[in-house]
Amino acid sequence: MLGVWPPPLWWRDHSPRATAMMRAQPDWATGGRPVGGSESARPAVRPTRLENISPVLQRMVIIGEDSRFRTHHGIDPSEIADALGADRGGGRGFPRVLVAAWRQRDKVRGASTITQQLAKNLYLSSSRNPLRKVKEAVTALRLELALSKDRILELYLNLAEWGPGIWGVDAASRAYFGVPASRLTDEQSAELAATLPHPRTSNPTFRPERTLERRNLILARYHGVEVYIPPEEEDTALVVPPVILPPIDSVIVPPPAIIDTVRDTTRSQTDSL
């Protein structure tokens, strides 16, 4: 019941053409067109290596989605306790968190780590079934055992949905700002990170004021200001018009400059939070 295929170890050297979450979306089944549209019209998923993704964007995503990403092991009990308002003090703090998490499981949706979100994207669905949440947690632990933190982050950025029909950070960067993921500014990076909790109901082209409010919180935290960034939940009641992706060859961008990988920098900055 808790097994997944392919096993997490497979993703060390492979990237999926599509994920369970992608296939579950109506516009994925029709390529963004009405039912009967050509399958070839489906948006292409183009993996981008972590070193070709703006280091600032990587940092902004960690700030906005999972500030303890570099230190936890797939599940963040502290974040769950914060979401539930549970008392983490004392030797029995963690068992109490588990009991509270089960009793108030709907509130735990906003406390998912990046690894848990990747597990859901790869293998599961957005169902609120409690058993699905258990499977997500178990799969997240298996991903952490099989993959490095950098590989988990790379897969997450490439497989996350950033808007209706927009899958992967490079597609989002080009769709919203007309530049590859390596050329994003601080403000653009924070705005993309702010899109992740609710990509279909709030993004840079739909209800941008909501996205900008969260962007400003992420930017403030990035610059050292102690602010609380709430784990927002997606409002699925809204109907969002699709974002039209420009053809990949139509965006003329000069070759990105060679940049250093910021793996150690990211880790040290996270530890300082």
Side-chain angles (χ1 to χ4, degrees), residues 88-251:
R88 288 178 281 163
R92 295 185 296 172
F94 184 60
R96 287 177 178 174
V97 169
L98 291 179
V99 172
W102 180 256
R103 290 176 177 173
Q104 306 178 60
R105 45 192 175 272
D106 282 347
K107 293 184 179 180
V108 181
R109 292 182 65 237
S112 293
T113 64
I114 284 175
T115 314
Q116 286 177 268
Q117 293 180 54
L118 176 61
K120 181 179 70 174
N121 290 345
L122 280 171
Y123 298 111
L124 306 171
S125 71
S126 56
S127 166
R128 298 194 184 193
N129 186 314
L131 293 179
R132 197 278 297 170
K133 196 68 180 179
V134 171
K135 188 169 184 177
E136 174 188 296
V138 172
T139 305
L141 294 173
R142 294 182 61 195
L143 285 168
E144 289 274 347
L145 290 173
L147 307 175
S148 68
K149 287 288 189 179
D150 282 340
R151 181 57 177 161
I152 290 171
L153 182 60
E154 181 179 277
L155 284 168
Y156 173 74
L157 294 174
N158 279 292
L159 301 178
E161 184 179 24
W162 303 78
I166 302 179
W167 300 93
V169 64
D170 195 65
S173 178
R174 294 175 187 274
Y176 293 130
F177 305 116
V179 297
S182 61
R183 291 298 189 93
L184 291 164
T185 66
D186 290 5
E187 290 74 17
Q188 291 169 343
S189 297
E191 193 165 350
L192 281 185
T195 299
L196 284 168
H198 37 71
R200 288 177 171 258
T201 63
S202 174
N203 57 55
T205 62
F206 183 81
R207 292 185 69 191
E209 68 285 350
R210 181 181 176 188
T211 303
L212 292 178
E213 289 177 2
R214 189 172 179 86
R215 180 204 70 175
N216 293 338
L217 291 175
I218 293 173
L219 278 172
R221 176 75 68 83
Y222 178 73
H223 290 293
V225 180
E226 290 296 328
V227 295
Y228 173 67
I229 303 176
E232 297 191 24
E233 295 184 3
E234 183 176 0
D235 180 1
T236 56
L238 295 175
V239 178
V240 186
V243 178
I244 305 301
L245 284 170
I248 198 72
D249 297 331
S250 68
V251 181

